[in-house]
Amino acid sequence: MTHGKAPTATRSTLVISAHAGDFVWRAGGAIALAASRGEKVTIVCLSYGERGESAAAWREGKSLEEIKRIRRGEAEQAATALGADIRFLDAGDYPLLATPELTDQLVHHYRDTRPDVVLTHPLADPYNGDHPAAARMALDARVLAQAIGYPAPGDVLGAPPVFFFEPHQPEMCDFTPQVLLDITDVFATKRTAMECLPAQTHLWDYYTGLAGRRGVQLARNAGPNLGLPRTVYAEAYMRPYPQVTGELA
Amino acid sequence: MTHGKAPTATRSTLVISAHAGDFVWRAGGAIALAASRGEKVTIVCLSYGERGESAAAWREGKSLEEIKRIRRGEAEQAATALGADIRFLDAGDYPLLATPELTDQLVHHYRDTRPDVVLTHPLADPYNGDHPAAARMALDARVLAQAIGYPAPGDVLGAPPVFFFEPHQPEMCDFTPQVLLDITDVFATKRTAMECLPAQTHLWDYYTGLAGRRGVQLARNAGPNLGLPRTVYAEAYMRPYPQVTGELA
Amino acid sequence: MTHGKAPTATRSTLVISAHAGDFVWRAGGAIALAASRGEKVTIVCLSYGERGESAAAWREGKSLEEIKRIRRGEAEQAATALGADIRFLDAGDYPLLATPELTDQLVHHYRDTRPDVVLTHPLADPYNGDHPAAARMALDARVLAQAIGYPAPGDVLGAPPVFFFEPHQPEMCDFTPQVLLDITDVFATKRTAMECLPAQTHLWDYYTGLAGRRGVQLARNAGPNLGLPRTVYAEAYMRPYPQVTGELA
Amino acid sequence: MTHGKAPTATRSTLVISAHAGDFVWRAGGAIALAASRGEKVTIVCLSYGERGESAAAWREGKSLEEIKRIRRGEAEQAATALGADIRFLDAGDYPLLATPELTDQLVHHYRDTRPDVVLTHPLADPYNGDHPAAARMALDARVLAQAIGYPAPGDVLGAPPVFFFEPHQPEMCDFTPQVLLDITDVFATKRTAMECLPAQTHLWDYYTGLAGRRGVQLARNAGPNLGLPRTVYAEAYMRPYPQVTGELA
Amino acid sequence: MTHGKAPTATRSTLVISAHAGDFVWRAGGAIALAASRGEKVTIVCLSYGERGESAAAWREGKSLEEIKRIRRGEAEQAATALGADIRFLDAGDYPLLATPELTDQLVHHYRDTRPDVVLTHPLADPYNGDHPAAARMALDARVLAQAIGYPAPGDVLGAPPVFFFEPHQPEMCDFTPQVLLDITDVFATKRTAMECLPAQTHLWDYYTGLAGRRGVQLARNAGPNLGLPRTVYAEAYMRPYPQVTGELA
Amino acid sequence: MTHGKAPTATRSTLVISAHAGDFVWRAGGAIALAASRGEKVTIVCLSYGERGESAAAWREGKSLEEIKRIRRGEAEQAATALGADIRFLDAGDYPLLATPELTDQLVHHYRDTRPDVVLTHPLADPYNGDHPAAARMALDARVLAQAIGYPAPGDVLGAPPVFFFEPHQPEMCDFTPQVLLDITDVFATKRTAMECLPAQTHLWDYYTGLAGRRGVQLARNAGPNLGLPRTVYAEAYMRPYPQVTGELA
């Protein structure tokens, strides 16, 4: 039995991100890889990160609206570079509050995009409460979208696998890499997307270095016949649900 | 970059089993599946389970040597049915002791079979200390076999992925299914192999039922476009090391 | 000192269930057992499971009100079969929201039924957020009901033991069986109650099988002098609070 | 179905203690309680605690043999006070090494005493490696004693429940009280037994205080109709295996 | 590089307490110690504990307002004895609800007191849901107070270390002592503060005893050259964030 | 009461390292820092890492003895650069076996060096079994060295704090940074020591980068008044035992 994935051209990935920017640093490689295979990727940003992740802009005296506008523009550019669509829910940050209304909006996006794969934050982060709030709603909405009785348009969802992307301080967030994704072939694209976010230039190199370190671990964990190039770039993920497969590998 | 698996015909799977029999109930599907793809599978039985898993034979008054001979014969038949080679180390059971000498023997088997995939028991089992002892040695030997300085013949090993198979009481053994393997296509073969073990006929139905329940979970966790048949059979596994992949799915 | 349980005839059990139906599959044996000893059992259903657990009815095009009415009727029948009273709070499902108002309603039911034993869901379930929400409120209300200063009618509560019943996928819900309850003597009654829920006929056999498997574990964990019958049926539970006893056994 | 415990007069409890003394401080109440019901209790001391728990004697310049003799005498007195038999394996302490030979000796004691209940140390203690070593062997031997194929005299064992007694620093040893045993009725006996150990007089009051504090928790966790006296004494235990019961309470 | 603590005279400690009273029993030593060094300590009481922790007063028939007034007066006296300021938010208890509005109030207190050290409850307590609610808000507000974009007066905060104080039943609350604070020099002051709370006289001795037991552990864990007095008193704390230091000790 | 540390000049640190080299990469900063304060630091290398960590030398066809000699020389040079003494136990690696004899040797080194601080590996490492074996023996020996009855020369030890240094893949080894040590002032010395190990030049930059990343985390977790320089270097540690302190900070 073929483990019946959708044909590449029609596969859909949904990325749920607390703030504009998160999806670039943490899942840019996975997004670019899916897009490079001709798949559809949709990013939903719950907020712009306008209060909690825009310190420089606040110090320059910019207004709230101005900051939101700037961050939205940058995120759109980065999404375009990666080959993905992007939607903004403007739900506010610091704190991003988990509400039934916002969860319901996410259900609609699930029913609309019909994802084969979902990417979001992990459920713990002692340095940033918005990330777990986003993850909580992303998981709840995925379950609700599967129920025929849930009052939202569109067909009920299957049960797409979920991947948590790597937080900034993994050891403090109960994050153990369970999946190492080889992003070598699209790393240049990820770097381009990172460079769309000029306020955090120090992160360009930080996440380039992290991708290299995760690449070294990928090589260390790879099977004996893997013909890897000199430099490998990787992203780390966790799975809250079991992997379904037709072959152990 | 292709995630460089060996060509199917030359792939090798190593199964390290505390007792003769364990590999049938817990990994028979994975073994049959690999064999059905033309891959090589080698089963190493550390003991025959002659003391701890042969209660009926003891009650019938059979001798130790007789029990070992019977269990060896049954295990050979089951391995043949699954399409695998089998080796017996006759290290004794109840208790199976983790020793440097036995670990060294396993290193030789690693270097000899050069596995692309390793299957063994999980590291905890409050009902049977032999299973964790086998797992501990299987993991230690895998690391030693990777070192060029380790004094054993053969080339150094890569880092093949390891899968823990499901223990009899998963909730008591910290076993959370991380991988659900679809074994529907080879389930009849697994059943045939189980029927080579006549002393435990009640387990034939038990493990048929378990495969069906894991199959239901597989379907529940599968992506939306999965065209599954009416009845799905599955086996559950855990990964002690991260999965290496070129695609999130 | 006798470990001063109430006389059997006046003992009271409170079951707090997210959806109509949960109490049958997961705690039907415990309920029937208490009722068979002449004790009082009260089931509080927070919702009917009208959206999340009634897929067949939705596919048949039934209306929300119709579905709620049907599920209420079935749950009443099942409760009667088990020998228990049942109350419905109609708080909505998918999602069932944990609110101060609903928790307050539960406090009133605690003060009113004065339970010696409380049964509810465990605190984690990645496949169904309503179950943890129900459990969270059940535990919070139990603590509030113990405070003389809490504004609800009735005397303050003691500290009745709580038992979490087994979720559908125990390994995914951090559920480790801590108590195996022998329900052999009332299993026929549980089966009758299950058959009051015609929409989920496949679950009749699933939960019969589970009771048998838990029964095998009960026998495996039972003391040496236990004179058990051929077939034993059991239900598994966890305790969030320590057991209080006058004898280790 | 009665949950078939042996008639009280023939019930047997086996206590496996790393050092002479441990069983008094940590399980003296449970031992006295069983003895007071006419049950048989056997204590197996793996060592005398001659090196690690006899600092005062060493400071007084006593010899190793003298210390062992003194501690043996005190332990015998305490066992007598509690109403229990005691056996000494003299396996050495600091470190007490877990060996196949010592485990085998324990199998013989299991087969000989045929316990309905087993008490021992928990599996972790960062302050004293002898305690986990004793626990490890106690658990392994219990499993071996259940196998008909294990070469030791006597009938195979059932699966008696195991209780871990409370270590000196519970929070550092992953010890969560799962069972609170009411020892009020025999507390005077436990105090008498403690006073048989004159080298550690400060522990007499320490463990009296601990029994009082666990008693307060017992009352806090007890059901509403429990008619408890003013002062309650209790001991805390953990269960590595599920409780088997015919009634939730 | 000096690990740049503020000069003692200007250091500030913020204590966030669910109920009036909590800060005395659990952190009175730390508060008195900081005050004795000339540092500023501010206690924020989210509620008076008027419903959940005032059973005696309710039994005497006092009114809600009267109870709140009494508890406020006692807490003020205790704070004065310890040398600290105290503020009351009167947010209600049993349940204390974690709300965005209350979290926002705490942000204002953070910005206002500019703490170098924060003390609060741990995140789990199965016996009292108000404690985790207070802790959750204390941690969330600390993160918000660090963001320049958060709309509250005052400069942004640094990242002061947080210490969880010891709950009443540490083993049930995942509380492992990570820090043992020597409070011997100020223990008389803590005792005086405890005696300002006449409704719970049994706790005076309980917490004196606990301080002595934690003192014994402090001595047991202290380095070899520690010149400790005969009786040592200590309080235990946990750190949710890493310690920052210039020297391992 | 002063928290009675030994005068700086007489303080002693003991570092227990599985292989020559480990102490440089993982604790070089802590060692250099202690030495720079005039304290004594002793490194005990259980093996040279001759089999498991010398792949390049084996590939060049060097003999076992040659490799051991080279690694010993490099480790001596690195220890000298850091200002520490070094001792070699030559117990063999890959596998390094935890034996009573080797643990006994460590007791002698504890009694001899009388450490105020102990540094070693953490207790888990799925990629290298030698590291946990070293840690296990280091902890066991520390406890044995505290017992007056243990037959080894020298006075009994106090209870020096233990710090686990950071493993190569912290997320896979249950390693959560609990202490971030500022090593900025001695980082040049650590770099010099690293450069004494020419076989692993790629690690020079890896551990420079890690020190920088841990430095960023140190700054992020530091209190508000910390006057940190532009670039901070840090090492991360875990504590298996509680910190003993006279001040929360």
Side-chain angles (χ1 to χ4, degrees):
Chain A
M1 175 171 27
T2 321
H3 253 267
K5 292 194 300 187
T8 288
T10 65
R11 294 192 86 216
S12 165
T13 294
L14 177 61
V15 185
I16 298 176
S17 179
H19 313 105
D22 291 341
F23 68 90
V24 183
W25 314 115
R26 288 154 190 170
I31 295 169
L33 212 49
S36 76
R37 289 189 302 260
E39 301 178 28
K40 179 173 172 52
V41 183
T42 311
I43 300 154
V44 173
C45 283
L46 294 166
S47 79
Y48 300 108
E50 59 268 24
R51 294 193 181 282
E53 319 231 315
S54 308
W58 286 97
R59 275 196 292 267
E60 291 164 12
K62 295 209 167 61
S63 73
L64 179 63
E65 285 312 310
E66 208 172 347
I67 292 169
K68 288 164 69 169
R69 196 182 44 72
I70 292 168
R71 292 200 42 114
R72 180 186 178 118
E74 293 171 358
E76 284 171 335
Q77 269 192 289
T80 301
L82 295 170
D85 287 340
I86 189 162
R87 305 172 183 188
F88 300 95
L89 302 195
D90 195 9
D93 77 330
Y94 260 58
L96 170 66
L97 298 173
T99 63
E101 293 73 26
L102 195 50
T103 303
D104 177 67
Q105 284 189 54
L106 288 179
V107 176
H108 287 70
H109 290 285
Y110 271 101
R111 290 268 179 97
D112 177 46
T113 59
R114 311 195 55 67
D116 299 274
V117 172
V118 177
L119 311 182
T120 191
H121 300 266
L123 288 163
D125 190 338
Y127 294 99
N128 193 319
D130 293 2
H131 297 159
R136 189 70 274 150
M137 289 187 285
L139 294 188
D140 286 350
R142 173 181 167 279
V143 169
L144 298 177
Q146 296 177 45
I148 187 174
Y150 190 87
D155 284 343
V156 297
L157 202 71
V162 179
F163 295 87
F164 291 153
F165 35 74
E166 180 167 354
H168 201 72
Q169 297 199 39
E171 308 94 337
M172 303 301 296
C173 301
D174 297 330
F175 185 90
T176 303
Q178 293 182 332
V179 180
L180 293 167
L181 177 70
D182 187 336
I183 61 166
T184 310
D185 289 350
V186 296
F187 187 73
T189 306
K190 177 171 180 172
R191 176 81 194 199
T192 301
M194 293 198 286
E195 293 179 5
C196 298
L197 308 177
Q200 295 162 290
T201 52
H202 66 290
L203 291 182
W204 302 356
D205 285 348
Y206 180 83
Y207 279 99
T208 299
L210 177 61
R213 293 192 301 278
R214 291 300 182 201
V216 170
Q217 292 177 357
L218 181 149
R220 192 166 181 183
N221 284 284
N225 301 297
L226 191 64
L228 289 171
R230 266 190 95 75
T231 300
V232 179
Y233 292 104
E235 285 173 347
Y237 292 88
M238 286 189 84
R239 293 176 181 273
Y241 295 100
Q243 177 190 8
V244 168
T245 185
E247 180 178 1
L248 297 184
Chain B
M1 179 171 26
T2 321
H3 253 268
K5 292 194 302 187
T8 287
T10 66
R11 294 192 85 215
S12 166
T13 292
L14 177 61
V15 184
I16 297 176
S17 178
H19 313 104
D22 291 342
F23 69 89
V24 183
W25 314 115
R26 290 155 188 168
I31 294 170
L33 211 49
S36 76
R37 287 190 302 258
E39 303 178 25
K40 179 173 172 50
V41 183
T42 311
I43 299 156
V44 174
C45 282
L46 294 167
S47 80
Y48 300 107
E50 58 268 23
R51 295 195 181 279
E53 320 231 313
S54 307
W58 285 99
R59 274 194 293 266
E60 292 163 12
K62 296 211 167 59
S63 72
L64 181 63
E65 285 313 309
E66 208 172 348
I67 292 170
K68 288 164 71 169
R69 195 182 44 73
I70 292 169
R71 291 200 43 113
R72 180 185 177 117
E74 293 170 1
E76 283 171 336
Q77 269 192 289
T80 301
L82 295 171
D85 287 339
I86 189 162
R87 306 172 183 188
F88 299 95
L89 302 196
D90 194 10
D93 78 328
Y94 259 60
L96 170 66
L97 298 175
T99 62
E101 293 73 26
L102 197 49
T103 304
D104 177 66
Q105 283 189 54
L106 288 179
V107 176
H108 287 69
H109 289 287
Y110 270 101
R111 288 269 180 97
D112 176 47
T113 59
R114 311 195 55 67
D116 299 276
V117 171
V118 178
L119 310 183
T120 193
H121 300 267
L123 289 163
D125 189 338
Y127 293 99
N128 192 317
D130 293 2
H131 297 159
R136 187 71 276 150
M137 289 187 286
L139 294 189
D140 286 350
R142 173 181 167 279
V143 168
L144 297 177
Q146 296 178 45
I148 186 173
Y150 190 88
D155 285 343
V156 298
L157 203 71
V162 180
F163 295 86
F164 291 153
F165 37 72
E166 180 167 355
H168 201 72
Q169 297 199 38
E171 308 92 339
M172 302 301 294
C173 302
D174 297 330
F175 185 90
T176 304
Q178 294 180 334
V179 180
L180 293 167
L181 177 70
D182 187 336
I183 60 166
T184 310
D185 289 349
V186 296
F187 187 72
T189 306
K190 176 170 182 174
R191 178 81 195 199
T192 301
M194 294 198 287
E195 293 178 4
C196 297
L197 307 177
Q200 295 163 290
T201 50
H202 65 289
L203 292 182
W204 303 355
D205 285 349
Y206 180 83
Y207 280 98
T208 299
L210 177 63
R213 294 192 301 276
R214 292 300 181 201
V216 170
Q217 291 176 359
L218 182 148
R220 191 167 182 184
N221 283 284
N225 301 298
L226 193 63
L228 290 170
R230 266 191 93 75
T231 300
V232 179
Y233 292 106
E235 285 173 345
Y237 291 89
M238 285 189 84
R239 294 176 181 272
Y241 295 100
Q243 177 191 8
V244 168
T245 187
E247 180 177 2
L248 298 182
Chain C
M1 176 174 24
T2 322
H3 254 265
K5 292 193 302 187
T8 288
T10 66
R11 294 192 86 215
S12 165
T13 293
L14 176 61
V15 184
I16 297 176
S17 180
H19 313 104
D22 291 340
F23 69 91
V24 183
W25 315 114
R26 288 154 192 171
I31 294 169
L33 211 51
S36 75
R37 289 189 302 260
E39 302 179 24
K40 180 173 170 53
V41 183
T42 312
I43 299 155
V44 173
C45 283
L46 294 166
S47 80
Y48 299 107
E50 58 267 24
R51 294 194 182 279
E53 321 230 313
S54 307
W58 286 99
R59 276 195 291 265
E60 293 163 12
K62 295 209 168 60
S63 73
L64 180 63
E65 285 314 309
E66 209 172 347
I67 292 169
K68 287 164 70 169
R69 196 181 43 72
I70 292 168
R71 292 202 41 115
R72 181 186 177 116
E74 293 171 0
E76 283 171 336
Q77 269 192 288
T80 301
L82 295 171
D85 286 340
I86 189 162
R87 305 172 183 187
F88 300 95
L89 302 197
D90 195 9
D93 77 330
Y94 259 59
L96 170 65
L97 298 174
T99 63
E101 294 71 27
L102 195 50
T103 304
D104 178 67
Q105 282 189 56
L106 287 179
V107 176
H108 286 69
H109 289 286
Y110 270 100
R111 289 268 179 96
D112 177 47
T113 59
R114 309 195 56 66
D116 299 276
V117 171
V118 177
L119 310 182
T120 193
H121 300 267
L123 289 163
D125 190 339
Y127 293 99
N128 193 318
D130 293 3
H131 297 159
R136 189 69 275 152
M137 288 187 286
L139 293 189
D140 286 349
R142 174 182 166 277
V143 169
L144 298 177
Q146 296 178 44
I148 186 174
Y150 189 88
D155 285 343
V156 298
L157 203 72
V162 179
F163 295 87
F164 291 152
F165 34 74
E166 180 168 354
H168 201 74
Q169 297 199 37
E171 309 93 337
M172 301 302 297
C173 301
D174 296 330
F175 184 90
T176 304
Q178 294 182 331
V179 180
L180 293 167
L181 177 71
D182 187 336
I183 61 167
T184 310
D185 289 350
V186 297
F187 187 73
T189 306
K190 177 169 180 172
R191 177 81 195 200
T192 302
M194 292 198 286
E195 294 178 2
C196 297
L197 308 178
Q200 294 161 292
T201 52
H202 65 290
L203 291 182
W204 301 356
D205 285 349
Y206 180 84
Y207 279 99
T208 298
L210 177 62
R213 292 192 302 276
R214 292 299 182 202
V216 170
Q217 291 177 357
L218 182 148
R220 190 166 183 184
N221 284 283
N225 300 298
L226 191 65
L228 291 170
R230 263 191 96 75
T231 300
V232 180
Y233 292 105
E235 285 174 347
Y237 292 89
M238 285 189 85
R239 293 176 181 273
Y241 295 100
Q243 177 191 8
V244 168
T245 185
E247 181 179 0
L248 297 183
Chain D
M1 177 174 25
T2 321
H3 253 263
K5 292 193 302 187
T8 288
T10 65
R11 292 191 87 214
S12 166
T13 293
L14 177 61
V15 185
I16 297 176
S17 180
H19 313 105
D22 291 342
F23 69 90
V24 183
W25 314 116
R26 287 152 192 173
I31 295 169
L33 212 49
S36 75
R37 287 189 303 259
E39 302 178 25
K40 180 171 170 53
V41 183
T42 311
I43 299 155
V44 174
C45 283
L46 294 167
S47 80
Y48 300 107
E50 58 269 23
R51 294 194 181 278
E53 319 232 313
S54 307
W58 285 98
R59 275 193 293 265
E60 290 163 14
K62 295 209 168 60
S63 72
L64 180 63
E65 285 313 308
E66 209 171 344
I67 292 169
K68 287 164 70 169
R69 197 183 41 74
I70 293 169
R71 289 195 51 108
R72 180 184 177 118
E74 292 171 1
E76 283 170 336
Q77 269 193 288
T80 302
L82 295 170
D85 289 339
I86 188 162
R87 306 173 184 187
F88 300 94
L89 302 195
D90 195 10
D93 77 330
Y94 260 60
L96 170 66
L97 297 175
T99 63
E101 294 72 27
L102 196 49
T103 303
D104 177 66
Q105 283 190 55
L106 288 179
V107 176
H108 287 69
H109 290 286
Y110 270 100
R111 289 268 179 97
D112 177 46
T113 58
R114 308 195 56 66
D116 299 276
V117 171
V118 178
L119 311 183
T120 193
H121 300 267
L123 288 164
D125 189 339
Y127 294 100
N128 193 317
D130 293 3
H131 297 158
R136 187 72 275 149
M137 288 186 286
L139 294 188
D140 286 350
R142 172 181 167 280
V143 168
L144 298 177
Q146 296 178 43
I148 187 174
Y150 190 87
D155 284 343
V156 299
L157 201 72
V162 180
F163 295 86
F164 292 152
F165 35 74
E166 180 168 354
H168 201 73
Q169 297 198 39
E171 307 94 336
M172 301 301 296
C173 302
D174 296 331
F175 184 90
T176 304
Q178 293 181 333
V179 180
L180 293 166
L181 177 70
D182 188 336
I183 61 166
T184 310
D185 288 350
V186 297
F187 187 73
T189 305
K190 176 170 182 174
R191 177 79 195 200
T192 301
M194 293 198 286
E195 294 178 3
C196 298
L197 308 177
Q200 296 162 290
T201 52
H202 65 288
L203 291 182
W204 303 355
D205 285 350
Y206 180 83
Y207 280 98
T208 300
L210 177 62
R213 293 192 301 277
R214 291 299 181 202
V216 169
Q217 291 176 358
L218 182 148
R220 189 167 185 182
N221 284 285
N225 301 299
L226 191 65
L228 290 170
R230 266 191 94 74
T231 300
V232 180
Y233 293 105
E235 285 173 347
Y237 292 89
M238 284 190 84
R239 293 176 182 274
Y241 295 100
Q243 178 190 7
V244 167
T245 186
E247 180 179 1
L248 298 182
Chain E
M1 176 173 26
T2 322
H3 252 265
K5 293 193 303 188
T8 289
T10 64
R11 293 191 87 216
S12 166
T13 293
L14 178 61
V15 185
I16 297 176
S17 180
H19 314 104
D22 291 340
F23 68 91
V24 183
W25 314 115
R26 288 155 190 169
I31 295 169
L33 212 51
S36 76
R37 288 189 304 257
E39 301 178 26
K40 181 172 172 50
V41 182
T42 311
I43 299 154
V44 173
C45 284
L46 294 166
S47 80
Y48 299 108
E50 60 267 23
R51 294 193 181 280
E53 320 232 314
S54 307
W58 285 98
R59 277 194 291 266
E60 291 163 14
K62 294 209 168 60
S63 72
L64 179 64
E65 284 313 309
E66 210 172 343
I67 291 169
K68 287 164 69 170
R69 196 182 42 74
I70 291 168
R71 291 199 44 113
R72 180 187 177 116
E74 293 171 1
E76 283 171 337
Q77 269 192 287
T80 301
L82 295 171
D85 288 340
I86 190 163
R87 306 172 183 188
F88 300 95
L89 302 196
D90 196 10
D93 77 329
Y94 260 59
L96 170 65
L97 298 174
T99 62
E101 294 71 27
L102 196 49
T103 304
D104 177 66
Q105 283 189 55
L106 288 179
V107 176
H108 287 70
H109 289 286
Y110 270 101
R111 289 269 179 97
D112 177 45
T113 59
R114 309 195 55 68
D116 299 276
V117 172
V118 177
L119 310 182
T120 193
H121 301 267
L123 288 164
D125 189 339
Y127 294 99
N128 192 317
D130 293 3
H131 296 159
R136 188 70 274 152
M137 288 187 285
L139 294 188
D140 286 350
R142 174 182 166 279
V143 167
L144 298 177
Q146 296 177 45
I148 187 174
Y150 189 88
D155 285 344
V156 298
L157 203 71
V162 178
F163 296 87
F164 291 152
F165 35 74
E166 181 168 354
H168 201 72
Q169 297 199 38
E171 307 94 338
M172 302 302 296
C173 302
D174 296 329
F175 184 90
T176 305
Q178 293 180 332
V179 180
L180 293 167
L181 177 70
D182 187 336
I183 62 166
T184 310
D185 289 350
V186 297
F187 187 73
T189 304
K190 176 168 182 176
R191 178 80 194 200
T192 301
M194 293 198 286
E195 294 178 3
C196 297
L197 308 177
Q200 293 161 291
T201 52
H202 65 290
L203 291 182
W204 303 355
D205 285 349
Y206 179 83
Y207 280 98
T208 298
L210 177 61
R213 293 193 301 276
R214 291 299 181 201
V216 169
Q217 292 177 357
L218 182 148
R220 190 164 184 185
N221 283 285
N225 300 297
L226 191 64
L228 290 170
R230 266 191 95 75
T231 301
V232 179
Y233 292 105
E235 285 173 347
Y237 291 89
M238 284 189 86
R239 294 176 181 273
Y241 295 100
Q243 178 190 7
V244 168
T245 185
E247 182 178 0
L248 297 182
Chain F
M1 178 173 24
T2 321
H3 253 266
K5 292 193 303 187
T8 289
T10 65
R11 296 192 85 215
S12 166
T13 293
L14 177 61
V15 185
I16 297 176
S17 179
H19 314 104
D22 291 343
F23 68 92
V24 182
W25 315 115
R26 288 154 190 170
I31 294 169
L33 211 51
S36 75
R37 288 188 305 258
E39 302 179 26
K40 181 172 171 51
V41 183
T42 311
I43 299 155
V44 174
C45 283
L46 294 167
S47 80
Y48 299 108
E50 59 269 21
R51 293 194 183 280
E53 320 230 314
S54 308
W58 285 98
R59 275 194 292 265
E60 291 164 13
K62 294 210 167 62
S63 74
L64 179 63
E65 285 314 309
E66 208 171 347
I67 292 170
K68 286 164 72 170
R69 195 181 44 72
I70 291 168
R71 291 197 47 111
R72 182 187 177 115
E74 293 171 0
E76 283 171 337
Q77 267 191 289
T80 301
L82 295 171
D85 287 341
I86 189 161
R87 305 171 184 190
F88 300 94
L89 302 195
D90 194 9
D93 77 329
Y94 259 58
L96 171 66
L97 298 174
T99 64
E101 295 71 28
L102 195 50
T103 304
D104 178 66
Q105 283 190 55
L106 288 180
V107 177
H108 286 70
H109 289 286
Y110 270 101
R111 288 269 179 98
D112 177 46
T113 58
R114 309 195 56 66
D116 299 276
V117 171
V118 178
L119 311 183
T120 192
H121 300 266
L123 289 162
D125 189 339
Y127 293 99
N128 192 318
D130 293 2
H131 296 159
R136 188 70 275 149
M137 289 188 284
L139 294 189
D140 286 350
R142 173 181 167 279
V143 168
L144 298 177
Q146 297 177 44
I148 186 173
Y150 189 88
D155 285 343
V156 299
L157 202 71
V162 179
F163 295 86
F164 292 152
F165 35 73
E166 180 168 354
H168 201 73
Q169 296 199 39
E171 307 93 340
M172 301 303 294
C173 302
D174 296 331
F175 185 90
T176 304
Q178 292 181 334
V179 180
L180 293 167
L181 177 71
D182 187 335
I183 59 166
T184 310
D185 289 350
V186 297
F187 187 72
T189 305
K190 176 168 180 174
R191 176 80 195 200
T192 301
M194 293 198 286
E195 294 178 3
C196 298
L197 307 178
Q200 294 162 292
T201 51
H202 66 290
L203 290 182
W204 302 356
D205 285 348
Y206 180 82
Y207 279 99
T208 298
L210 177 62
R213 294 193 301 276
R214 292 301 183 200
V216 169
Q217 290 176 358
L218 182 148
R220 189 166 183 183
N221 283 284
N225 301 297
L226 192 65
L228 290 171
R230 266 191 95 75
T231 301
V232 180
Y233 292 105
E235 285 174 347
Y237 292 90
M238 285 190 85
R239 293 174 181 276
Y241 295 100
Q243 178 190 8
V244 169
T245 186
E247 181 178 1
L248 298 182

